[in-house]
Amino acid sequence: AMHMQIEQFYIRIFLSLAQSKSLPPVCQEIAMAGLVEVFSSAEWMTELFVNYDCCWYTPNVFENLCRFMWKSPHPVGGQLSAINLISLDGLVALLSDIANRCGVISDTNAGNVDASHIRAQRTLKKNLEEAAKEFNKKPSKGIGVLQSIGYLSAENPSPVELAKFLRLCPALDKSMIGDLLGDNSPLSLQTLHEFCQLFVFKGVSFDIALRVFLESFWLPGESQKIARIMEEFAATFCQQNPEVFCHPDAAYLTAYSLIMLNTDHHSGQIKEKMTFAQFKSNNRGSNGGKNLPDEFLFEMYNNISSEPLSIPDIRHDNSSAVTDQRKSASRISKTAFLDLLMISQELTKSRFVCVSGSEFDAEIFSIIWAPCIASLSVVY
């Protein structure tokens, strides 16, 4: 269960601190010194490479850390700072460890490590990254690449596998995911159903479930597409929580009501915000002719009022939505961590692979040698 939490620790916390321009330099130096300790253990760096850079549904943690470290030695204005020297220590430590292990025979069976399987996963990840690039241009192009590499069948593409790709691939454009899920083609409708089934809403409050769901893609602008997506979400939530609403239609109406509340409270164009009394009135009789409990409505009202949903519709243009998606990649929120737990516990069932020896040093060196030389040449 710690597999994806470790990823978030390095990407969202460690790198965020080290790259922050708003913190005092001493805080950046402390974060950088911590990263140097990480780079001083080639074995740990190898495990990061194997568990993340060779896993298609996680970011390249090893490469991202290295990219930051080899950019940091470059001085500004010709003056070497403490951060420049600290990052240089990290690069030298990693290269030294790899050099010390050269010629050492590696036991790839230690810890039941299947090196051929890991390399196959690395190849799959590279292929899926290419598919993601095409998908972000046009979903049909991405599906074509998925079929060409054998991830999807050319004759009968699996909605289950396509849904996993949409749910787990970190490189996808969220607006394109929403467009595909809202389409009315048979494959899109089946994929939408399977996509919703990948969420675990059991025991999760309705507004949090909606928030997690909407952070996994951008709602499309077309009303019919939105309706199809929200109907499937409502059906999935009621399937997992049959005691909350009397019928999926009630969940559907409540979801729309929350989206309207979100627009009302977080749009700069609306001056007079909706009161709880008005929100309660909007939901009168929505649960099969009966009212939802006041406590239930009040909690959702407060939650949405205090923190907006991830809905690009209320923004001014698509470019701002893309910018928001990039910002959210480094933002830490309760919703992000809840979604992280859902994925790690219910979807991937992944375990952290422990690796010893120099089996993957060649792959690691092929990633770092050129930028390391460039960084070292700047200093020396």
Side-chain angles (χ1 to χ4, degrees):
M2 292 298 295
H3 187 279
M4 301 190 79
Q5 285 85 334
I6 293 173
E7 164 208 323
Q8 298 301 304
F9 174 74
Y10 282 114
I11 298 297
R12 292 180 182 263
I13 298 178
F14 235 126
L15 280 184
S16 294
L17 288 174
Q19 294 174 311
S20 175
K21 302 300 183 183
S22 60
L23 294 175
V26 65
C27 295
Q28 292 178 282
E29 291 175 20
I30 292 172
M32 288 292 293
L35 286 177
V36 170
E37 291 298 318
V38 174
F39 274 69
S40 298
S41 173
E43 186 172 291
W44 178 241
M45 293 300 286
T46 301
E47 289 176 344
L48 291 179
F49 171 78
V50 167
N51 285 277
Y52 299 103
D53 295 50
C54 298
C55 178
W56 72 265
Y57 51 78
T58 61
N60 293 324
V61 175
F62 169 79
E63 191 167 345
N64 285 338
L65 291 177
C66 288
R67 185 178 294 113
F68 173 70
M69 291 296 280
W70 63 54
K71 285 182 179 180
S72 298
H74 294 239
V76 178
Q79 293 293 325
L80 284 173
S81 67
I83 291 179
N84 297 145
L85 296 174
I86 292 172
S87 60
L88 189 63
D89 287 341
L91 293 176
V92 172
L94 179 59
L95 291 172
S96 297
D97 262 7
I98 293 177
N100 292 335
R101 296 198 306 194
C102 285
V104 177
I105 299 176
S106 176
D107 180 10
T108 56
N109 292 322
N112 296 320
V113 175
D114 185 345
S116 61
H117 173 72
I118 290 173
R119 290 191 171 96
Q121 290 298 302
R122 173 76 171 166
T123 300
L124 173 63
K125 181 168 190 171
K126 290 181 178 179
N127 290 335
L128 291 180
E129 286 173 347
E130 290 301 314
K133 290 178 182 178
E134 295 302 317
F135 182 92
N136 292 342
K137 299 174 185 175
K138 190 175 182 181
S140 59
K141 290 184 176 181
I143 292 175
V145 176
L146 293 174
Q147 291 173 322
S148 69
I149 64 176
Y151 180 83
L152 293 178
S153 167
E155 295 78 20
N156 188 25
S158 167
V160 175
E161 295 304 318
L162 180 55
K164 288 181 180 178
F165 176 72
L166 299 180
R167 177 79 171 103
L168 295 175
C169 184
L172 295 180
D173 186 321
K174 290 184 178 183
S175 62
M176 293 299 180
I177 298 176
D179 283 341
L180 176 62
L181 293 176
D183 194 64
N184 64 351
S185 68
L187 178 60
S188 290
L189 293 174
Q190 295 170 17
T191 301
L192 172 61
H193 174 76
E194 298 298 338
F195 182 83
C196 289
Q197 292 300 310
L198 293 175
F199 289 84
V200 183
F201 296 138
K202 181 67 177 177
V204 179
S205 61
F206 185 71
D207 61 293
I208 295 297
L210 179 63
R211 191 182 298 278
V212 169
F213 183 65
L214 293 180
E215 284 198 359
S216 64
F217 64 97
W218 289 141
L219 275 177
E222 206 174 307
S223 59
Q224 290 182 332
K225 289 186 175 184
I226 295 175
R228 277 190 285 269
I229 293 173
M230 297 314 298
E231 284 175 1
E232 194 63 45
F233 163 76
T236 302
F237 183 87
C238 289
Q239 177 189 15
Q240 299 182 25
N241 300 276
E243 72 285 353
V244 178
F245 298 99
C246 68
H247 191 273
D249 286 348
Y252 174 79
L253 291 173
T254 304
Y256 256 107
S257 179
L258 291 177
I259 291 175
M260 291 173 59
L261 174 66
N262 181 82
T263 303
D264 180 276
H265 273 243
H266 300 289
S267 172
Q269 299 176 353
I270 300 176
K271 302 302 180 183
E272 295 185 11
K273 305 303 182 183
M274 186 187 304
T275 65
F276 173 68
Q278 292 170 324
F279 176 70
K280 179 182 175 181
S281 177
N282 291 342
N283 288 276
R284 183 177 293 118
S286 62
N287 195 25
K290 298 180 180 180
N291 295 333
L292 292 165
D294 284 358
E295 298 82 5
F296 178 70
L297 292 174
F298 187 70
E299 181 182 6
M300 293 193 298
Y301 176 86
N302 281 339
N303 289 343
I304 299 299
S305 299
S306 59
E307 184 179 356
L309 298 171
S310 294
I311 303 177
D313 299 32
I314 66 173
R315 301 182 178 91
H316 297 297
D317 54 44
N318 186 59
S319 62
S320 60
V322 173
T323 301
D324 188 79
Q325 177 179 340
R326 290 170 180 167
K327 288 181 179 178
S328 68
S330 60
R331 176 173 54 88
I332 303 171
S333 67
K334 292 180 181 179
T335 309
F337 276 105
L338 178 59
D339 192 34
L340 171 67
L341 291 173
M342 286 183 180
I343 293 176
S344 62
Q345 292 176 1
E346 301 296 334
L347 296 180
T348 63
K349 306 294 184 184
S350 57
R351 65 182 181 88
F352 196 87
V353 178
C354 296
V355 184
S356 60
S358 57
E359 175 65 28
F360 299 99
D361 279 1
E363 285 90 343
I364 290 175
F365 189 73
S366 68
I367 293 174
I368 67 173
W369 74 268
C372 279
I373 288 177
S375 298
L376 292 171
S377 65
V378 170
V379 178
Y380 294 107

